[in-house]
């Protein structure tokens, strides 16, 4: 299975009012392994970024002025994602910009070139309802270091999201009790784990007599009723169980 984790940075929030993509970052996963075959391009949007957007990504108009326009990288991007499963956090935002850029060039929408799109924000809300599910929050939840993330960057965020996605979808991979019970229950994994048949071996009559003799000795030592006999009486444990 070939999967592409994708993120973009933009000049603002709305492609319908003229905002454009300024950075695309992609990370390739094959059979749940990072391959290192990544795709990263800065893009000249031919316009300034909004002040709020600039504070998020830090990519100035001067820095982007000599970068290729989207039309110059679109064929590379299309070939890179062709037929792959694309993973995006808050997919409607990135897809809105990508589809807009493709339409401006008279090309079918971006999603038409990949097999399907997975929105990790939707997945995270299903696994962790009522909790914060931003990329930073998910990194904290799954123990993924994002200390180097001072500003948003498409490739950096795609790399972090790839780690988050693999952690979110790894299932039960441990035989210890150190598992995220909430995630297991929410993900429905408990319903899919086949339990071994429980084998009940009852004590024999000789074993029960030996057990009673042991309890008698404990009662004698404490000069009353031992905690073991008191517990058995309280729980009304039947002989031989």
């Amino acid at each position: 299975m070939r999967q592409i984790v994708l993120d973009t940075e933009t000049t603002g929030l709305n492609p319908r009012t003229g905002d454009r993509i300024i950075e695309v970052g992609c990370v390739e996963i094959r059979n749940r392994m990072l391959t290192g075959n990544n795709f990263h391009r800065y893009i000249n949007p031919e316009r300034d970024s909004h002040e709020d957007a600039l504070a998020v990504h830090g990519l100035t108009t001067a820095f982007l002025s000599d970068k290729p326009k989207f039309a110059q990288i679109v064929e590379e991007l299309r070939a890179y994602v062709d037929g792959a499963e694309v993973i995006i956090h808050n997919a409607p935002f990135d897809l809105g910009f990508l589809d807009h850029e493709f339409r401006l060039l008279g090309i079918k929408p971006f999603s038409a070139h990949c097999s399907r799109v997975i929105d990790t924000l939707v997945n995270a809300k299903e696994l962790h309802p009522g909790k914060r599910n931003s990329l930073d929050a998910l990194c904290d939840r799954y123990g993924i270091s994002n200390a180097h993330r001072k500003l948003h960057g498409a490739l950096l965020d795609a790399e972090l999201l790839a780690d988050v996605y693999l952690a979110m979808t790894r299932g039960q991979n441990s035989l210890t009790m150190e598992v995220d019970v909430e995630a297991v229950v929410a993900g429905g994994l408990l319903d899919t784990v086949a339990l071994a048949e429980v084998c009940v071996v009852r004590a024999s009559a000789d074993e029960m007599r030996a057990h009673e003799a042991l309890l008698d000795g404990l009662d004698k030592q404490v000069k009353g009723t031992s905690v073991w006999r008191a517990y058995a009486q309280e729980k009304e444990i039947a002989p031989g169980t």
Side-chain angles (χ1 to χ4, degrees):
M1 179 188 297
R2 182 170 184 262
Q3 297 172 302
I4 302 298
V5 184
L6 180 146
D7 187 59
T8 64
E9 296 298 335
T10 64
T11 63
L13 298 177
N14 193 347
R16 295 180 181 178
T17 58
D19 286 317
R20 305 289 300 275
I21 292 176
I22 58 175
E23 185 184 8
V24 178
C26 302
V27 173
E28 184 183 61
I29 300 174
R30 283 187 182 270
N31 299 319
R32 298 187 58 79
M33 298 289 291
L34 299 173
T35 68
N37 176 30
N38 300 339
F39 179 94
H40 182 221
R41 298 290 184 275
Y42 291 111
I43 299 161
N44 179 1
E46 301 181 277
R47 59 157 294 168
D48 295 335
S49 290
H50 293 286
E51 185 177 344
D52 291 345
L54 183 60
V56 170
H57 55 65
L59 300 176
T60 65
T61 302
F63 173 79
L64 297 169
S65 62
D66 63 346
K67 302 302 183 287
K69 299 177 178 61
F70 195 89
Q72 295 172 270
I73 66 96
V74 68
E75 288 302 327
E76 287 182 276
L77 177 60
R78 183 164 63 168
Y80 181 80
V81 302
D82 184 46
E85 190 174 74
V86 177
I87 300 164
I88 306 174
H89 199 67
N90 191 18
F93 179 85
D94 298 85
L95 288 179
F97 274 91
L98 288 164
D99 287 347
H100 180 71
E101 296 283 0
F102 275 52
R103 279 195 298 268
L104 289 177
L105 299 172
I107 304 173
K108 291 181 181 179
F110 172 85
S111 53
H113 303 279
C114 48
S115 63
R116 71 166 177 150
V117 175
I118 294 175
D119 190 341
T120 50
L121 179 57
V122 173
N123 292 353
K125 287 180 177 179
E126 292 174 351
L127 286 172
H128 312 289
K131 295 189 176 182
R132 293 176 59 247
N133 288 298
S134 66
L135 182 56
D136 284 335
L138 291 172
C139 285
D140 290 342
R141 189 168 300 142
Y142 289 103
I144 296 166
S145 175
N146 61 348
H148 52 303
R149 190 189 190 222
K150 306 304 181 185
L151 292 171
H152 286 238
L155 183 60
L156 172 59
D157 287 1
E159 290 171 339
L160 290 173
L161 182 57
D163 290 337
V164 165
Y165 173 76
L166 291 173
M168 284 176 60
T169 58
R170 70 186 171 213
Q172 185 176 354
N173 59 0
S174 172
L175 294 179
T176 71
M177 294 302 292
E178 297 175 359
V179 296
D180 186 345
V181 174
E182 177 188 5
V184 169
V185 174
L189 296 179
L190 290 181
D191 294 335
T192 63
V193 177
L195 298 178
E197 182 180 352
V198 177
C199 182
V200 178
V201 179
R202 299 188 181 278
S204 66
D206 289 341
E207 289 170 333
M208 286 304 303
R209 283 191 289 271
H211 177 68
E212 289 297 322
L214 177 61
L215 291 183
D216 290 342
L218 291 174
D219 289 347
K220 185 175 181 180
Q221 290 181 31
V222 299
K223 297 180 180 180
T225 302
S226 67
V227 294
W228 297 106
R229 192 183 294 281
Y231 179 81
Q233 292 172 348
E234 177 185 350
K235 298 299 181 181
E236 297 182 351
I237 299 177
T241 61

